[in-house]
Amino acid sequence: MRPGGALLALLASLLLLLLLRLLWCPNYAPAASRLSVEESREATHGTPAALRTLRSPATPAPPTTNRYSENDYLHIIANIQSCPWKRQAEEYANFRAKLASCCDAVQNFVVSQNNTPVGTNMSYEVESKKQIPIRENIFRMFPVSQPFVGYPYNQCAVVGNGGILNKSLCGAEIDKSDFVFRCNLPPTTGDVSKDVGSKTNLVTVNPSIITLKYGNLKEKKAVFLEDIATYGDAFLLLPAFSFRANTGTSFKVYYTLRDSKARQKVLFFHPKYLKHLALFWRTKGVTAYRLSTGLMIASVAVELCENVKLYGFWPFSKTVEDTPVSHHYYDNTLPKRGFHQMPKEYRQILQLHVKGILKLQFSKCEIA
């Protein structure tokens, strides 16, 4: 960045923080409405990004287009944390209606016999030119209808795997939720349970975990069954129809659980739902090769639940207080570069928090 550009970015950042302090706490509504204006302006490519940021002081985005400063985010989060969060019913209803209009998780989140009859030629989510014919043997794997009988759930927890959960003492609060979503078979037993909870109603499974960690369910099948037993009678959700390479592995998980008479049930993401959801977030500026599982599940939760709280969503290497944070609460393995757009995704999640649509847990939980 040129010296003049760096100075402009610094001034813009300082102005952003100053206006945040002035506008955020005294009146919640102006901040939320400014975010809505910013969101609509982002779709207008003719307006320079720097001007869009200055016009919208409440938006939690760094002042440059392609460079994301961790410190910019942390300063903004510190401001957001300093003010009480309040659910905004109208904002929630409006956002939920937009999601329902584009994607309809209530009917289409998972593949079912109702939405995918025998004889369907199902297109893959990413490899959209490839199809898989739904014959009777595959059809029988699907639930008759969407299996979420408690819909709409009152309080839902979406538990990410961020290292911010370590020493958070959020476990008890998470376990009080009516429905708990988790991502990619994380550990929930032992000492970590006091921070992340142990209750699980739905957990996603990346097929690569089955291949790399469990040897494609050959010699490590018993280990896999022992590990998933900790999730009780949770649903295991797999993207069987995102890539052709995922299909065989996902089906193997289904048959392994069926043949072992495991308590857990296998569900498959509907590829059409995921494709529509990606298009929805693309209009918000998230143009990554693929959405993260966390953003997918948070989107689902908004449609299935009345109140949504996110834990463990923290893509930064340190806390607001400058304490180092591991990438996951159980390891420090970083994601593949270029696969997701975590800064842009987190910006969108921050906006949902600011608007009172969902609540982000940024730090330790209060102990009753």
Side-chain angles (χ1 to χ4, degrees):
M1 183 184 290
R2 293 175 299 182
L7 179 60
L8 178 62
L10 177 61
L11 290 172
S13 182
L14 291 173
L15 179 60
L16 175 64
L17 292 173
L18 176 61
L19 289 171
L20 264 174
R21 289 186 182 278
L22 291 173
L23 291 173
W24 175 256
C25 288
N27 191 339
Y28 193 93
S33 63
R34 285 172 182 270
L35 278 171
S36 298
V37 171
E38 168 67 12
E39 190 173 278
S40 63
R41 282 174 173 162
E42 281 191 336
T44 309
H45 299 293
T47 307
L51 287 178
R52 292 201 300 268
T53 303
L54 288 172
R55 286 175 183 168
S56 181
T59 186
T64 56
T65 308
N66 297 317
R67 294 177 176 85
Y68 292 88
S69 165
E70 199 169 73
N71 288 331
D72 284 332
Y73 275 107
L74 294 176
H75 280 305
I76 291 166
I77 290 169
N79 278 272
I80 291 173
Q81 276 186 282
S82 67
C83 302
W85 182 87
K86 183 179 179 182
R87 183 180 186 273
Q88 300 295 320
E90 186 175 351
E91 290 281 1
Y92 184 87
N94 289 340
F95 185 73
R96 189 190 220 178
K98 289 177 183 177
L99 276 174
S101 177
C102 87
C103 310
D104 193 5
V106 175
Q107 298 298 325
N108 298 320
F109 164 38
V110 300
V111 183
S112 69
Q113 294 181 3
N114 280 356
N115 62 31
T116 310
V118 173
T120 301
N121 287 318
M122 181 182 285
S123 296
Y124 282 87
E125 173 208 347
V126 180
E127 298 173 309
S128 56
K129 292 183 179 179
K130 306 295 183 182
Q131 294 183 331
I132 179 170
I134 304 303
R135 299 190 174 96
E136 188 67 35
N137 62 325
I138 298 176
F139 180 76
R140 285 197 298 267
M141 298 184 193
F142 308 153
V144 173
S145 58
Q146 301 297 297
F148 307 105
V149 294
Y151 161 82
Y153 301 98
N154 180 30
Q155 185 68 47
C156 291
V158 181
V159 186
N161 297 332
I164 196 73
L165 278 170
N166 283 323
K167 299 181 181 179
S168 68
L169 300 178
C170 288
E173 183 176 302
I174 290 169
D175 286 347
K176 288 179 181 177
S177 304
D178 299 304
F179 200 96
V180 179
F181 300 86
R182 298 186 190 272
C183 301
N184 294 331
L185 299 181
T188 59
T189 57
D191 289 342
V192 298
S193 64
K194 66 181 183 298
D195 295 326
V196 306
S198 57
K199 180 177 181 177
T200 305
N201 297 98
L202 182 148
V203 59
T204 67
V205 185
N206 191 322
S208 65
I209 296 174
I210 303 301
T211 303
L212 298 174
K213 185 176 180 180
Y214 297 109
N216 211 25
L217 299 181
K218 293 178 181 177
E219 68 278 3
K220 294 185 178 179
K221 181 171 74 171
V223 178
F224 170 72
L225 290 170
E226 184 179 344
D227 286 351
I228 65 166
T230 62
Y231 299 118
D233 56 0
F235 295 108
L236 269 59
L237 177 65
L238 295 104
F241 307 111
S242 291
F243 300 89
R244 284 187 301 170
N246 288 353
T247 307
T249 303
S250 300
F251 286 1
K252 188 167 288 189
V253 172
Y254 172 87
Y255 287 118
T256 297
L257 266 63
R258 187 200 66 178
D259 296 345
S260 303
K261 295 182 171 56
R263 294 171 61 190
Q264 302 77 28
K265 302 297 182 185
V266 169
L267 300 174
F268 302 128
F269 267 119
H270 201 300
K272 187 179 291 185
Y273 171 81
L274 292 181
K275 189 177 295 184
H276 290 168
L277 187 66
L279 290 173
F280 172 84
W281 285 111
R282 186 172 289 271
T283 67
K284 313 288 183 188
V286 181
T287 57
Y289 177 68
R290 200 146 188 270
L291 299 178
S292 71
T293 304
L295 186 57
M296 293 175 185
I297 294 300
S299 304
V300 168
V302 169
E303 284 203 65
L304 294 184
C305 311
E306 296 297 338
N307 298 276
V308 179
K309 190 167 183 180
L310 272 52
Y311 303 82
F313 280 66
W314 192 260
F316 311 117
S317 64
K318 58 186 178 181
T319 66
V320 170
E321 294 80 19
D322 221 28
T323 304
V325 172
S326 61
H327 185 67
H328 298 135
Y329 66 82
Y330 48 85
D331 66 31
N332 199 33
T333 303
L334 299 178
K336 292 180 181 179
R337 295 177 65 87
F339 204 72
H340 303 308
Q341 287 181 328
M342 298 311 293
K344 286 187 177 181
E345 286 196 6
Y346 199 72
R347 174 185 175 181
Q348 293 299 325
I349 291 170
L350 277 174
Q351 288 190 6
L352 297 179
H353 174 94
V354 167
K355 293 179 180 180
I357 294 168
L358 53 72
K359 186 177 183 181
L360 264 167
Q361 181 69 30
F362 294 112
S363 56
K364 289 186 178 182
C365 289
E366 295 181 8
I367 305 301

